[in-house]
Amino acid sequence: MSSPLRTTLRITGDTPRRRGEDRGRQARAGITRAWQVYEELFATVAAGNARPLDVPALALRTVRATRAWAPELVAEMEGVAEGTGLPFWTIAALNARTEILAEAGAPRTGECSTLVRVGPRTAGGQCWDWHQELAEAWHLQTVAGDAQGFAGITEHGILAKIGVNEAGVGVLFNILGHADDAATGVPVHLVARQVLGTAGSFTEAVALLTGAPVSASTVITVVTPDRAASVELSPGGSAVVAPDDGGLLVRTNHFLDPVLAAAELRGRREPETYDRHRLLTERVRAHDDGPGTGVSGTGVSGTGAPGPDVLGPDVFGPDVLGPDVFGPDVLVRLLAAHRDDGAEVCCHAPAEGRLGSRWATLATVALDPAERRLAVHDGGPCSAGPGTWTPLTAPRR
């Protein structure tokens, strides 16, 4: 099933290169358009900070690091380049977009909010925020042929981002900022791809993440049917952040590990990550306390967000998710917060502004690892409603 507004790629191949070729052929036009926007974005950010930026050299530097860590990922990117007819370095640059933007001097800005609860049915999800100019530059996908089949969302040309695999290992994604971020290591998006395509358990996923030689900062939250943890990655090392005593993980865009936080990159929108973290934590506590505490079945106070009975049939399957499970209905009520609510979790781009300054929530994702499923809404949680969710299930290898 595909969203009427969003393509679903069904990628297959018995080798990394063939999977890459399949991706490149299916998404040739979208990858070409995405590269045009990113090429301009890289140049705009670098010019604004008066920094020289040799994108081909930076991209190929990350390729060398990736080849030493997981050469199959390089082969897959080579296949994408062959399938699209674009130079290999442009595909490498797309997959290293976080690292190249760090080299360009992009400050840490507000991007993505994640909620996960561990319990009898562990589940979670997030808002994915990015530049409005790239609102058409992403797709849904299922990928088969690796050690683990997986499903999720990603940007055109980027091998993976948010998703869940056939072993029930899911990943959610929030950018962080460290003073030493650069484009010298394995790109964080390729690290997420490696987890989705190879990890057969929570332990394997965490080991892959903590062992990855990255050079830019991200927190990847691993969610399995019975466990979850956030793995903070940075040039200064990694840290595993466990859920609180109630099984809750709330992630925005700052480090929670105190050692890594000491080298936090400060950005122009720095306070808002703490505001979002505080607001979401308060909302979860109000939700746990029941009706009349600020989150109810008639919507979230101040947002007009739909309640749990507005979304239609359960997109996670026939089971009815309980009130303590972060399924699509609960996530919508918790994540649909705007500036008037105290923090902009659901982000809307201004009508005007230059490239690099117009942020928007491009997708809302709900993850159910026990069923190897995720549901994707095209846009922010405040616009979710009947029929807007596309369910995806991780394919078998």
Side-chain angles (χ1 to χ4, degrees), residues 154-384:
T154 193
E155 299 174 64
H156 292 324
I158 296 179
L159 301 187
K161 183 190 294 290
I162 300 161
V164 63
N165 71 17
E166 64 179 291
V169 176
V171 296
L172 300 168
F173 215 98
N174 297 61
I175 199 169
L176 301 176
H178 189 278
D180 296 329
D181 284 344
T184 57
V186 178
V188 291
H189 282 85
L190 293 182
V191 175
R193 163 64 180 85
Q194 191 72 346
V195 171
L196 287 170
T198 67
S201 67
F202 175 87
T203 301
E204 289 180 13
V206 171
L208 273 170
L209 291 168
T210 56
V214 303
S215 61
S217 302
T218 284
V219 53
I220 295 180
T221 298
V222 179
V223 189
T224 63
D226 61 346
R227 302 180 69 180
S230 291
V231 183
E232 297 182 345
L233 304 176
S234 82
S238 62
V240 179
V241 179
D244 67 15
D245 292 342
L248 176 67
L249 275 167
V250 178
R251 296 311 311 239
T252 51
N253 303 110
H254 58 278
F255 288 100
L256 297 182
D257 177 78
V259 175
L260 296 179
E264 188 105 47
L265 177 68
R266 304 302 177 182
R268 66 179 181 273
R269 295 178 66 190
E270 176 194 354
E272 60 81 45
T273 177
Y274 302 98
D275 292 340
R276 282 183 287 126
H277 193 277
R278 172 192 50 77
L279 177 67
L280 289 173
T281 301
E282 291 174 352
R283 285 191 163 193
V284 172
R285 289 172 180 163
H287 167 76
D288 291 346
D289 289 340
T293 55
V295 180
S296 71
T298 58
V300 180
S301 175
T303 67
D309 298 326
V310 181
L311 298 179
D314 177 14
V315 294
F316 276 172
D319 295 333
V320 177
L321 302 184
D324 294 332
V325 178
F326 286 171
D329 53 351
V330 174
L331 286 169
V332 161
R333 289 185 289 141
L334 295 173
L335 293 172
H338 302 95
R339 290 182 182 179
D340 290 346
D341 299 299
E344 191 176 23
V345 177
C346 182
C347 189
H348 298 264
E352 298 180 354
R354 65 180 179 86
L355 178 64
S357 68
R358 301 178 65 239
W359 296 80
T361 300
L362 303 187
T364 308
V365 181
L367 183 67
D368 184 0
E371 298 296 329
R372 305 179 292 108
R373 292 179 185 144
L374 70 160
V376 182
H377 167 67
D378 195 332
C382 72
S383 63

Side-chain angles (χ1 to χ4, degrees), residues 3 67 90 96 101 127 151 196 236 267 309 379:
S3 163
R67 196 186 302 277
T90 64
L101 286 169
C127 293
L196 287 170
D309 298 326

Side-chain angles (χ1 to χ4, degrees), residues 47-72:
N49 292 291
R51 290 193 181 188
L53 196 69
D54 187 340
V55 174
L58 292 173
L60 294 176
R61 192 164 68 182
T62 68
V63 168
R64 290 192 290 273
T66 304
R67 196 186 302 277
W69 185 64
E72 62 272 22

